Amino acid sequence: ESDIYIVTVGTPLKKNSKSPDIDHAKKAIEAISKKLKKGDLIILRSTLPVGFTRKIAIKIIEKLSNFKISKDISLAVCPERTAEGKALVELDTLPQIVGAADDLSYELASRLFNINTHTVIDVGDTDSAEMCKILDNTFRDTIFAFSNQMALYFEKSNLNLKRLIDS
């Protein structure tokens, strides 16, 4: 008997194609859709391909719930941007990205996150919010890869990377 449903499930890459495995997200949305009542809010926080919400999630929700997004049900994409084990601290300090299906969905999602977050950033639509999550993950991956390469180089060169970073 909830009014707000938050979906944050893993989206690993498929081994053969390296494309995102969206099965967990689809199954979570299917389960939620069967429980919805008019006025509920769904927030997607997972890493999702751009267009997933618009092309897939909305169709599932509307088919299984018999409600219409933006008329009966609110829907927003608010990507999780926290490091594992630091979610509560970072929720309080990181700006929260919100892309919504409509103005009411944005307002409801913003009100929820404003309880803990100092800044909510309206990126407009769900596609933009999905892309923010992908950009954030790509940036993190790039930083990690660069750091690992530097560590290998420093080790081969007999230089102390930690000492130089600290300096």
Side-chain angles (χ1 to χ4, degrees):
E1 294 295 322
S2 184
D3 299 325
I4 300 171
Y5 294 87
I6 299 174
V7 176
T8 179
V9 296
T11 48
L13 295 179
K14 294 178 182 176
K15 290 182 182 178
N16 295 338
S17 66
K18 301 294 185 203
S19 63
D21 183 349
I22 57 173
D23 287 343
H24 297 299
K26 285 171 62 176
K27 286 177 184 170
I29 292 165
E30 288 168 0
I32 289 167
S33 296
K34 296 172 186 174
K35 299 175 181 283
L36 292 173
K37 50 193 188 309
K38 191 170 185 168
D40 284 352
L41 168 65
I42 302 169
I43 296 175
L44 304 179
R45 292 187 57 80
S46 301
T47 304
L48 300 165
V50 175
F52 173 87
T53 303
R54 182 175 41 82
K55 296 175 186 174
I56 298 170
I58 289 175
K59 289 178 182 172
I60 293 170
I61 294 163
E62 290 183 344
K63 179 181 177 184
L64 295 179
S65 72
N66 291 318
F67 290 123
K68 292 289 183 197
I69 297 298
S70 299
K71 181 181 178 213
D72 305 307
I73 301 295
S74 296
L75 176 64
V77 175
C78 307
E80 183 179 55
R81 301 171 56 229
T82 58
E84 190 172 327
K86 295 184 180 182
L88 294 177
V89 172
E90 290 184 348
L91 185 61
D92 189 41
T93 58
L94 289 176
Q96 179 59 60
I97 302 295
V98 177
D102 56 78
D103 291 341
L104 177 59
S105 297
Y106 172 78
E107 177 65 28
L108 294 173
S110 294
R111 272 197 252 157
L112 174 68
F113 285 104
N114 271 329
I115 293 168
N116 292 336
T117 304
H118 68 289
T119 305
V120 172
I121 300 171
D122 181 1
V123 296
D125 56 51
T126 58
D127 285 5
S128 296
E130 290 164 344
M131 181 54 87
C132 282
K133 174 68 170 178
I134 291 168
L135 286 170
D136 197 47
N137 285 1
T138 303
F139 177 76
R140 288 174 49 123
D141 287 348
T142 302
I143 293 298
F144 293 152
F146 177 76
S147 298
N148 287 335
Q149 288 300 310
M150 287 295 99
L152 291 172
Y153 176 78
F154 273 67
E155 187 176 300
K156 286 179 186 175
S157 302
N158 289 325
L159 295 170
N160 185 328
L161 177 60
K162 183 177 179 341
R163 184 177 62 80
L164 292 176
I165 289 173
D166 290 344
S167 297

